Amino acid sequence: MYTKTHEFFSRYTDEESFKNIVWYDSVSEMWEKRSAEYSDKTAIEFNGEKYSYGRLSEDAAGFRAILRAKGLKKGDHVGIFSANSYDFVKAYIAVTTAGCVAMILPAHLDDKSIFGCAMKYALKAIIFAKDLAEKLEFAKEKLSQLAFIEIEQSSEEKAPVTETKGTDPCIIMFTGGTTGKSKGALLSNQAVMRGTINGCYGYEQVFENRYLLVLPFSHVFGLIRNLMTSLYTGSDLFICMNNKDMFRDCAQFRPTIMVMVPALAEMSLTLSKKFGRNMLGDALKYIICGAAAVAPYLLTEYAKMNITVFPGYGLTESANLVSGNPDPVNKPDSVGSLYPGEEVKLVDGEIWLKGVNMMESYWGEDEENKNSFEDGWFKTGDLGRFDEDGFLYITGRIKEIIVLPSGENVSPAELESRFNELSFIQASQVFEAETQTGSRILALEIVPRATELKNLSAPEPQQYILEELEKINMTFPAFERVSKIIIRTEDFERTPSMKIKRYSEIKKL
């Protein structure tokens, strides 16, 4: 069993800043303290406007009054249906500090899905942005008792923060969980605060940063690590209105820290190399990178630009943050040390979690909950190992394990991580394939990294790539070696969170 304490991380942050990483039991308690402490500082920048912590606190108090006028009370489930915006932040703060449970509804949901969520998750109200109003017509027609509240509203009347306990429910976030079926993970106030504070560990400059947001708030990485940790640390959060304008916004806003998925970090690095300057702005110090495997190449190349990339590991069910790598130079392929407030153990290689950061349950999913928990431990479905220093390494997913005709088990992610160590490999996928003769084999597809490919001095780059891949391939046990290597000319199909979509069936070659 593995665990870490708050004090373990003190070595990575100066003493004065570390003293300010203090525990709050609920979002209400945190918001009252931090919004008062940073009242005059800018909290949110959006659409050309700057909103101070004091202004955000006032606007949230006005929106709490609107919620109260609609009859909403502590414990009620309230949907928030809006793209990233200042009004989303205002509404989210208002809902959670009113003691209600915020159900974050992704902006891409259609009208039938909104109706289904209102029914399944017992919503008492839906707060919505005007540009999404049409998607609510079906729910309005069928659910006359449901309150619909425009997110752009404000009120001169103010309602106080509701006192909440750590064990009180706080938010419901969508997740695919361990089975891929969309579910709602119910997170308590203490789980949200544990995730928020975990975002403060492992780096030097923690407070009063400048964050630039490109991830959706409907993703736990965007909501907890980007928004909540930003507000907790008195930082200035710039919300991109359109991700296509990200690089322009970076040049203008000059962020000091960004939260990114690996595919976005890869694209930013490629463009930086192409144009000979840092496309993420000249003030950037840190990139917090997760939601998929982070190639050591990214850490090395960003370090040349004096930017430290911190890989990490987390789940929606764990309020995002399970571990973070405070020592990426010496442990580039690790997802880091465990954060405080949790216990972790490996059962047949699978990562099991327990702690205040963990969800209460999948809402309304009795069978899923029965299968996901055992003796209070949440079974993640992720495979991992620890080194002698207690650093965690992800080696694959149980559901992705390939069972060969010989009965041997192969973790494709573990093999891919080895192939991805080559600087000219951007992405890879190991999969089971069927040859023309009907035999089953392991195959590998790779996407070359264009910026590195052009620097290869070999007369025949593709042949060189195949030879280097084969050198790694021959280091594997015989049953794990791939029999076919394919060089792709375009990227793999990806999920909305930019993870590679794995082949769902045996591929015919």
Side-chain angles (χ1 to χ4, degrees), residues 81 109-112 114-115 126 128-130 132-144 146 148 150:
F81 188 41
L109 293 181
D110 60 23
D111 57 348
K112 301 299 190 300
I114 293 296
F115 168 75
I126 295 179
F128 66 96
K130 287 180 181 178
L132 298 175
E134 286 186 11
K135 294 185 177 185
L136 298 173
E137 292 305 316
F138 186 76
K140 285 182 178 180
E141 179 186 337
K142 300 292 184 182
L143 301 171
S144 58
L146 192 64
F148 294 88
E150 289 187 2

Side-chain angles (χ1 to χ4, degrees), residues 27-28 31 56-68 72-76 78 80 86-102 127 149 151 153-154 157 159-164 170-171 227-228 231:
V27 174
S28 290
W31 181 243
L56 177 55
S57 183
E58 285 292 303
D59 289 348
F63 208 80
R64 277 197 302 272
I66 293 171
L67 300 178
R68 301 266 171 88
L72 296 168
K73 59 187 184 300
K74 183 177 179 180
D76 285 346
V78 179
I80 303 179
Y86 171 74
D87 283 320
F88 178 101
V89 179
K90 172 194 72 179
Y92 168 77
I93 292 295
V95 171
T96 53
T97 58
C100 296
V101 181
I127 300 166
I149 305 169
I151 202 168
Q153 287 188 66
S154 61
E157 186 180 348
V161 165
T162 298
E163 184 177 342
T164 50
C170 184
I171 61 175
L227 174 62
M228 287 296 293
L231 295 176

Side-chain angles (χ1 to χ4, degrees), residues 83-367:
N84 290 359
S85 67
Y86 171 74
D87 283 320
F88 178 101
V89 179
K90 172 194 72 179
Y92 168 77
I93 292 295
V95 171
T96 53
T97 58
C100 296
V101 181
M103 173 82 195
I104 311 301
L105 300 168
H108 63 75
L109 293 181
D110 60 23
D111 57 348
K112 301 299 190 300
S113 298
I114 293 296
F115 168 75
C117 287
M119 293 290 289
K120 178 175 180 177
Y121 296 101
L123 299 186
K124 296 293 182 68
I126 295 179
I127 300 166
F128 66 96
K130 287 180 181 178
D131 61 344
L132 298 175
E134 286 186 11
K135 294 185 177 185
L136 298 173
E137 292 305 316
F138 186 76
K140 285 182 178 180
E141 179 186 337
K142 300 292 184 182
L143 301 171
S144 58
Q145 78 281 8
L146 192 64
F148 294 88
I149 305 169
E150 289 187 2
I151 202 168
E152 294 85 2
Q153 287 188 66
S154 61
S155 173
E156 291 300 317
E157 186 180 348
K158 310 300 178 188
V161 165
T162 298
E163 184 177 342
T164 50
K165 297 181 295 185
T167 53
D168 289 335
C170 184
I171 61 175
I172 298 175
M173 299 292 293
F174 278 118
T175 175
T178 60
T179 64
K181 174 188 171 186
S182 184
K183 302 175 289 292
L186 176 63
L187 297 168
S188 66
N189 270 267
Q190 65 184 359
V192 171
M193 288 313 307
R194 184 71 270 167
T196 297
I197 294 170
N198 285 350
C200 299
Y201 293 122
Y203 56 103
E204 186 66 27
Q205 185 181 330
V206 178
F207 292 89
E208 298 185 39
N209 273 298
R210 293 194 303 278
Y211 282 85
L212 189 134
L213 173 80
V214 291
L215 300 178
F217 287 136
S218 56
H219 192 288
V220 72
F221 204 23
L223 186 75
I224 301 293
R225 184 58 186 85
N226 222 159
L227 174 62
M228 287 296 293
T229 299
S230 175
L231 295 176
Y232 176 94
T233 57
S235 297
D236 181 353
L237 180 69
F238 185 104
I239 301 175
C240 286
M241 292 187 64
N242 188 328
N243 284 1
K244 292 180 180 178
D245 297 325
M246 181 183 80
F247 298 116
R248 183 199 68 186
D249 292 340
C250 282
Q252 172 190 331
F253 179 64
R254 302 178 68 243
T256 57
I257 187 168
M258 289 187 69
V259 179
M260 307 175 81
V261 296
L264 185 55
E266 180 82 50
M267 180 184 73
S268 302
L269 179 61
T270 298
L271 291 175
S272 295
K273 285 177 172 288
K274 179 178 179 180
F275 294 108
R277 61 186 175 87
N278 180 9
M279 298 296 290
L280 299 176
D282 59 8
L284 192 69
K285 293 183 178 180
Y286 310 128
I287 293 176
I288 310 300
C289 207
V294 182
Y297 171 85
L298 293 177
L299 281 64
T300 302
E301 294 303 303
Y302 272 110
K304 295 175 183 176
M305 300 160 61
N306 295 317
I307 297 169
T308 305
V309 177
F310 294 104
Y313 166 65
L315 310 159
T316 304
E317 294 88 344
S318 65
N320 188 211
L321 300 171
V322 172
S323 67
N325 189 343
D327 190 13
V329 173
N330 295 312
K331 308 273 189 179
D333 50 351
S334 171
V335 293
S337 296
L338 300 175
Y339 288 124
E342 65 187 343
E343 296 175 81
V344 179
K345 68 177 180 178
L346 301 181
V347 179
D348 296 327
E350 183 184 9
I351 300 169
W352 288 21
L353 301 171
K354 182 191 287 188
V356 296
N357 60 316
M358 298 308 300
M359 70 171 184
E360 301 299 299
S361 66
Y362 293 122
W363 177 268
E365 302 280 357
D366 292 342
E367 193 62 29

Side-chain angles (χ1 to χ4, degrees), residues 450-504:
T451 52
E452 293 295 310
L453 199 58
K454 68 181 182 180
N455 294 328
L456 292 179
S457 57
E460 296 185 26
Q462 288 211 352
Q463 184 59 36
Y464 175 77
I465 289 174
L466 292 173
E467 290 173 356
E468 292 301 302
L469 288 169
E470 187 58 29
K471 287 179 184 177
I472 292 177
N473 193 34
M474 293 306 294
T475 66
F476 301 146
F479 73 91
E480 288 187 326
R481 293 173 191 163
V482 299
S483 302
K484 178 75 172 177
I485 299 176
I486 302 165
I487 300 177
R488 294 174 61 98
T489 56
E490 57 185 26
D491 195 10
F492 294 101
E493 185 180 357
R494 292 182 180 267
T495 67
S497 60
M498 299 303 289
K499 295 179 182 178
I500 293 172
K501 275 192 175 181
R502 292 197 175 272
Y503 299 127
S504 57

